[in-house]
Amino acid sequence: MGNDNKKKFLNALGSFRRENTMKEAVRKAENLIGADDLKEFVERSSLLYKHSAECDAVIVSAISRMYILSVNSGDGICTQLDILTDVLRAMGDVENLGVQYFALNLPDHSIRKLDSEAKTDRDIILEDIKDMGLLKVDKRRICCIDISRWIDRIESAEFRAVLARLRDRMYDQFVVFWIPAVDELTLRRVHEAIEWFVNVDDIYTPPFSVDQYYEYGINKLEKMNVRLDEGAREVFRNCIVSRRTDKNFFGFNTINNLMNEMIFTTLMEGEP
């Protein structure tokens, strides 16, 4: 095979791989309960991808962004990041794209190293992100940063300094900021603070209802060939209602634990 033919073959192979990756992202998103913002984002990205072969600017504009993932803990953060990873792999033509998680704490003067020269809050937070490895990128990655502690200080000079440093590295990594499912006004405030530095997309997932958790649980139980009678279904639903008001409720993770507990208890009660 000549060099030109080999290049054409590799390009075609790469294009086929990226197309399948994008299709997989669409499939995964369609199977989710709720998550309408994510589904819309994936569908929009899929349409953009179809135009990317004719226009490189589409790819550049699509990957020159940061993202805000607003979803409660336990309600599918990892699943949504997995789908987002597929989208960015296809759009950015990246074969392997790992996800690394970071939590951005507020500046704390009480835990400074003895040899630290950080004096102000700005000095401290810039030293912290350097020590955390936020700015050291060995290979392209998705950098998911928990900024929930910064919501009330999102317009601060300290957070803007962090954004400036991340913007300088944005062609080495994709940045996803995570916050819980906040109200519309708070999400807009976070969005505007970040957009002051760089284009940003919001992917918002409102808190799930009892019905959605119940539907998820029943469907998963049926896939495991577990059929609940009407009485058991009512008990299951009441348990969801009760657990959902608990401060330790952890979304779908709690529902999974509840299902496992029900199955285990049923099996134990059936033993002689």
Side-chain angles (χ1 to χ4, degrees):
M1 182 182 294
N3 288 336
D4 289 344
N5 288 335
K6 183 177 181 180
K7 185 176 181 180
K8 290 179 181 178
F9 173 76
L10 291 176
N11 287 340
L13 188 64
S15 178
F16 179 74
R17 172 178 51 78
R18 293 193 301 275
E19 184 176 349
N20 279 347
T21 300
M22 184 63 77
K23 287 181 179 178
E24 181 67 7
V26 173
R27 185 193 65 79
K28 289 177 182 177
E30 288 175 345
N31 288 334
L32 293 180
I33 295 174
D36 292 338
D37 263 19
L38 179 67
K39 291 174 181 177
E40 182 182 339
F41 167 79
V42 173
E43 182 63 29
R44 187 172 70 247
S45 298
S46 179
L47 292 174
L48 277 173
Y49 174 77
K50 292 176 182 178
H51 295 292
S52 64
E54 295 83 27
C55 181
D56 290 340
V58 171
I59 296 179
V60 173
S61 64
I63 66 176
S64 303
R65 318 179 68 79
M66 293 183 182
Y67 302 87
I68 301 171
L69 188 62
S70 180
V71 53
N72 283 335
S73 296
D75 277 346
I77 299 171
C78 293
T79 299
Q80 294 198 17
L81 276 171
D82 178 58
I83 294 171
L84 181 58
T85 298
D86 282 345
V87 170
L88 295 177
R89 281 176 56 209
M91 295 297 291
D93 191 16
V94 184
E95 186 168 356
N96 295 309
L97 194 60
V99 179
Q100 289 186 273
Y101 298 87
F102 301 89
L104 192 63
N105 295 320
L106 294 173
D108 189 342
H109 291 263
S110 66
I111 58 173
R112 290 298 90 203
K113 296 179 293 185
L114 292 177
D115 60 346
S116 173
E117 296 182 359
K119 303 299 181 185
T120 66
D121 282 357
R122 183 179 182 278
D123 293 336
I124 290 172
I125 192 60
L126 291 181
E127 185 177 83
D128 284 348
I129 64 173
K130 181 179 179 182
D131 291 344
M132 289 163 57
L134 276 179
L135 306 180
K136 184 179 180 182
V137 187
D138 296 325
K139 58 182 179 180
R140 200 159 178 80
R141 66 184 180 184
I142 289 183
C143 184
C144 182
I145 310 172
D146 175 356
I147 59 169
S148 55
R149 295 174 180 86
W150 284 85
I151 290 176
D152 291 334
R153 295 180 61 175
I154 205 70
E155 297 97 348
S156 67
E158 293 80 21
F159 188 73
R160 287 185 174 183
V162 172
L163 284 173
R165 299 305 188 280
L166 291 172
R167 182 184 58 185
D168 291 342
R169 301 292 193 281
M170 67 182 300
Y171 292 103
D172 300 321
Q173 61 186 356
F174 297 103
V175 175
V176 179
F177 295 108
W178 174 77
I179 58 174
V182 294
D183 60 89
E184 183 180 350
L185 183 61
T186 300
L187 180 59
R188 186 185 309 128
R189 189 162 53 82
V190 173
H191 176 102
E192 289 175 353
I194 297 173
E195 192 176 44
W196 197 76
F197 271 77
V198 65
N199 291 328
V200 60
D201 277 326
D202 302 337
I203 301 175
Y204 173 69
T205 302
F208 289 92
S209 67
V210 169
D211 287 343
Q212 288 173 313
Y213 287 127
Y214 176 78
E215 176 190 349
Y216 165 81
I218 293 298
N219 288 341
K220 189 164 184 179
L221 287 169
E222 289 181 349
K223 287 179 181 178
M224 295 188 289
N225 292 320
V226 177
R227 300 289 189 273
L228 301 182
D229 59 28
E230 288 303 315
R233 283 172 176 258
E234 184 177 355
V235 170
F236 181 50
R237 185 180 182 84
N238 290 339
C239 286
I240 294 174
V241 173
S242 176
R243 296 287 182 91
R244 193 165 176 264
T245 60
D246 192 296
K247 65 178 182 180
N248 294 319
F249 182 75
F250 199 49
F252 290 106
N253 292 333
T254 297
I255 305 303
N256 286 329
N257 290 338
L258 179 58
M259 288 189 293
N260 292 335
E261 181 182 330
M262 288 182 64
I263 293 171
F264 179 77
T265 301
T266 301
L267 290 174
M268 290 297 291
E269 289 176 349
E271 289 295 320

